[in-house]
Each structure stands twice: as structure tokens, then as C-alpha cells.
């Protein structure tokens, strides 16, 4: 009975407080308008909830339920512009003046209608306009950042070359040359990667190249560097003979030697202090990578041991961490040839092939589902499209972008992307079936709504 009396008294109190709220809101609407009354109502409701919580115990579940309801109520409240307070409470509220475009008599028929706050209509940009905006915001790299990255890469190259000459005076290395997409205008988004070529100086007449398909590895991507003239220049005549395995120059043994030197022998703290940055070798990757942290950028320098200009077509062979029977072979690097071809095609017709490649690289870089598509894959797509005699002006950039997506989807369906300069190499051979499905789905969705990729 006492509990019933307590609930009845509480209900009477609630009724009295509810009547007071109704009275305040009815008069507040005349003075403050609909928006002000809504704000006052919420404040009154908050006071009422505070009084209820102070006078009666609440269950934890009820508190949680009321909390998210109150938050949803606050979020649903429109953010109206504050209105100046009236001069006097007894002063009547003046009707709003009719707008010039409104028909006559509209203010008389509905004097209490308040003007609706209309948001500006969204801009309907074309794909071409979105691509240009994406290029400006996500592709273009500030010139100061590019210059700083080049300066750091050049300084590191000089320091590393001096170290190699002092550490391995018997090994003839050529000049260390930084390069790569950043130097060719093919880097998108950030100046965060530089290639540093470490060329080997091989004695002419003592070495020859053997295609990878003619070795036991049967790998069309690679070449073997064979030692010749052993009857006239026996083993030991060349300083590179210490890296021979079965009569061939082993890239694996050379990589292991240099990796140990970079990790244990180089005084990177001293070099970093001299250059105003932090430098340390990456121990995660099997490649020779240097991580550089500057106050204005982060840079990765890939140290690439190379055999340059070994024959008439001036191909570049890299010491790369390969697996299996190809572990001692040298990977053919087609980046210089591909970059030169794109430049020549664009110079011929003032085209946008390199800009398309940058857009594709930035799109794949910003989408986790497309992260498996590297620069090498995208370069083959642009090269294949670039050889066609079609419109490559800036006005056709959106059309070429969609065409590139279609070509990628078609190649994924066949699980085959032949290398432009070496068609026997399938660049999709390293992708698993699940990865191909994920990439294909993301590209297909992007083809239906290209704006979702930008």
C-alpha cells in the first residue's frame, strides 16, 4: 500500500510537471518560435529526467535505454540559426514579409509558416572532372617534397658508395645512381620510394648471358650470368669469381654479403646525424631496403645490385630474392624500357598515358582490395592501350580510365597479363585465385560506379 501511494504521488507530481511543461511550451512557441520551443522542451525534459533520477532508483538497463534515446533526440534536433530576443514579451510577433517570388496572399493564408533552411544542391561532377580533382588532390606531389627526397637519396648514395669502396676495395662497383619513378615523373601520391642502382663492373669477354628458359629453372623472367674463358683466364682471375656457383655468378650469395654489411657494418646513426634524418636497414624484407625518416617525409631506398649493359639491347639485370631453382639467377628489370616507351608515346602525340598510369597507381594505392596490383601490372595495361591509335588528349582521360578498368577485368577473368616486352611472362602468375576474385570484384564495382574509386 505504501508503494502504491508512493507511485500515485509520483504520478501526480509528473502530471503537475507535465502541465507546467505544456504551459511553458505553448507560450514559448509564440515568443521563441518553433526552433526555440524545441530547444526549451529538450532542456525541460533534461531537468525532469534529472529530478526523476534523483528521487527514484533506476535500473541499469533503463538508464542505458534512456541515454541513447536522448542522444538520438538531440541529434535529430535541427540546428537553426539563433533568433534575436524580442524587445518586450507583450510585443506581438510580426508576420514574416512575403518573398518577392511568392504569390500574393501566401503570407495571409498561412502566417505561421517559417522559412525552411534549404541546403545547396550537390554538384554533379562528371567522371572527367572527378579524375582531374583526384589528380590534383591525391596524385600530384609537392615540388619541395620531391626535391627533398632526391637530395636525401643522392646523399645516401654518396655515403654508401664510399662505404662499399672502403669495405670491399677488391670489388669494382660503378657509380651509385638513384633513380626510379620519382625521377621520371611516374610517382603518385608521395615521394616515398627511390631506387638506388649499385652496378657491377664485369670484365668484358669473361661473362655472357644465358636466357632463363635455357637453364634448369626454365624461368622466362630471369637470366644467368655465366663465367667464360676459363681456359685462358682461370677461376680467380676476376674478383667476382668468389660468387660463382656452378660456373655462374650467383645473385643470392652477393645479396647475402651485402645484406650483412648493411645490417651490421654501416654506422647508420652517424650517417643519419650528418644528413639530418634517421636511417636504418629493413630487416623484414629480403630485399636490400633502407628506411629513412625525415621530419618532413618518410622514404624507402631500394638498393638494387645490377648488371647493366651486358649485351647489345642494354638490358638491366637485378640481384633479386628469387625462390627455388631461380635463386642464383638475375631478374630482368624492364622498368627503364617501359618508362622510356611511355615517354616516347606521349611525346609523339602530346598524350596522357603517363597521367593515366599515375591515376591508376593512386587508385590502387588507396584501395586495400586493389593493393595486389602493383606498378608493373598497371604499366602493362597502359602500354597495351597506349599503342592503339586513339584519342589520348586530356578530354578523353575519363574514357581511357574506364577502358583500362575493362582491360584489367578481362585479364583477371583469364588470369593472364602478358608482359609488354616479354609476352612469355604472365604477371598474374603469382596471384592466388582468391586474390584474383577479390581484385576482380573491386574493379567490377568500380566500373559500375567509377566515383567510388576516387
Amino acid at each position: 500500500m505504501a508503494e502504491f501511494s508512493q507511485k500515485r504521488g509520483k504520478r501526480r507530481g509528473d502530471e503537475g510537471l507535465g502541465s507546467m511543461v505544456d504551459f511553458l511550451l505553448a507560450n514559448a512557441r509564440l515568443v521563441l518560435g518553433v526552433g526555440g520551443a524545441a530547444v526549451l522542451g529538450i532542456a525541460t525534459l533534461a531537468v525532469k529526467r534529472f529530478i526523476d533520477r534523483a528521487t527514484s532508483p533506476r535500473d541499469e538497463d533503463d538508464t542505458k535505454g534512456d541515454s541513447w534515446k536522448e542522444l538520438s533526440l538531440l541529434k535529430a534536433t535541427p540546428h537553426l540559426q539563433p533568433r534575436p530576443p524580442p524587445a518586450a514579451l507583450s510585443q506581438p510577433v510580426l508576420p514574416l514579409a512575403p518573398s518577392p517570388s511568392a504569390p500574393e496572399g501566401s503570407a495571409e493564408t498561412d502566417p505561421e509558416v517559417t522559412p525552411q533552411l534549404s541546403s545547396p544542391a550537390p554538384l554533379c561532377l562528371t567522371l572527367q572532372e572527378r579524375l582531374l580533382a583526384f589528380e590534383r588532390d591525391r596524385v600530384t606531389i609537392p615540388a619541395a617534397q620531391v626535391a627533398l627526397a632526391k637530395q636525401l637519396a643522392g646523399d645516401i648514395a654518396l655515403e654508401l658508395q664510399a662505404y662499399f669502396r672502403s669495405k670491399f676495395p677488391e670489388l669494382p662497383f660503378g657509380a651509385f645512381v638513384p633513380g626510379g619513378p620519382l625521377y621520371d615523373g611516374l610517382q603518385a601520391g608521395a615521394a616515398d620510394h627511390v631506387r638506388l642502382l649499385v652496378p657491377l663492373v664485369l670484365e668484358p669477354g669473361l661473362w655472357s648471358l644465358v636466357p632463363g628458359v635455357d637453364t634448369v629453372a626454365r624461368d622466362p623472367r630471369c637470366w644467368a650470368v655465366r663465367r667464360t674463358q676459363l681456359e685462358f683466364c682461370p677461376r680467380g682471375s676476376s674478383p667476382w669469381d668468389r660468387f660463382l656457383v656452378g660456373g655462374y655468378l650467383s645473385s643470392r650469395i652477393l645479396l647475402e654479403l651485402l645484406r650483412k654489411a648493411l645490417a651490421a657494418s654501416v654506422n647508420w646513426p652517424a650517417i643519419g646525424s650528418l644528413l639530418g634524418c634517421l636511417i636504418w636497414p629493413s630487416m623484414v624484407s629480403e630485399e636490400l631496403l633502407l628506411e629513412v625518416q625525415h621530419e618532413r617525409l618518410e622514404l624507402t631506398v631500394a638498393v638494387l645490385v645490377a648488371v647493366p649493359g651486358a649485351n647489345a639491347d642494354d638490358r638491366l639485370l637485378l640481384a633479386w630474392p628469387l625462390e627455388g631453382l631461380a635463386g642464383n639467377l638475375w631478374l630482368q628489370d624492364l622498368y627503364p624500357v617501359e618508362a622510356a616507351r611511355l615517354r616516347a608515346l606521349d611525346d609523339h602525340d602530346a598524350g596522357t598515358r603517363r597521367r593515366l598510369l599515375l591515376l591508376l597507381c593512386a587508385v590502387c594505392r588507396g584501395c586495400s582490395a586493389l593493393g595486389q596490383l602493383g606498378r608493373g601490372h598497371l604499366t602493362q595495361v597502359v602500354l597495351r592501350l597506349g599503342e592503339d591509335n586513339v584519342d589520348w588528349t586530356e578530354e578523353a582521360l575519363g574514357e581511357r580510365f574506364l577502358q583500362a578498368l575493362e582491360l584489367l577485368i578481362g585479364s583477371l577473368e583469364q588470369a593472364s597479363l602478358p608482359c609488354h616486352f616479354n609476352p612469355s611472362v604472365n604477371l598474374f602468375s603469382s596471384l592466388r585465385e582468391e586474390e584474383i576474385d577479390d581484385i576482380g570484384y573491386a574493379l567490377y564495382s568500380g566500373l559500375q560506379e567509377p566515383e567510388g574509386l576516387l
Side-chain angles (χ1 to χ4, degrees), residues 29 154 202 280 335 434:
R29 182 176 181 183
L202 301 180
W280 66 91
Y335 168 77
E434 296 80 7

Side-chain angles (χ1 to χ4, degrees), residues 5 16 269 292 309 318 443:
S5 302
V292 182
L318 301 179
L443 289 175

Side-chain angles (χ1 to χ4, degrees), residues 86-98:
L89 294 177
S90 59
Q91 185 176 355
V93 179
L94 297 178
L96 296 175

Side-chain angles (χ1 to χ4, degrees), residues 299-382:
L299 180 66
T300 299
V301 178
V303 181
L304 303 176
V305 182
V307 177
N311 63 349
D313 58 2
D314 198 27
R315 66 171 50 91
L316 184 66
L317 304 180
L318 301 179
W320 198 260
L322 301 173
E323 298 179 355
L325 297 176
N328 292 315
L329 301 183
W330 295 72
L331 181 67
Q332 183 175 7
D333 181 27
L334 294 175
Y335 168 77
V337 182
E338 295 167 350
R341 182 57 181 166
L342 286 175
R343 186 184 308 108
L345 290 172
D346 278 349
D347 292 343
H348 176 69
D349 57 5
T352 57
R353 296 168 183 83
R354 288 175 293 179
R355 292 175 63 183
L356 175 62
L357 176 59
L358 289 172
L359 286 170
L360 293 173
C361 289
V363 166
C364 294
R365 181 175 180 171
C367 180
S368 58
L370 301 179
Q372 294 291 335
L373 292 179
R375 180 182 303 276
H377 303 102
L378 303 175
T379 302
Q380 311 311 313
V381 173
V382 177

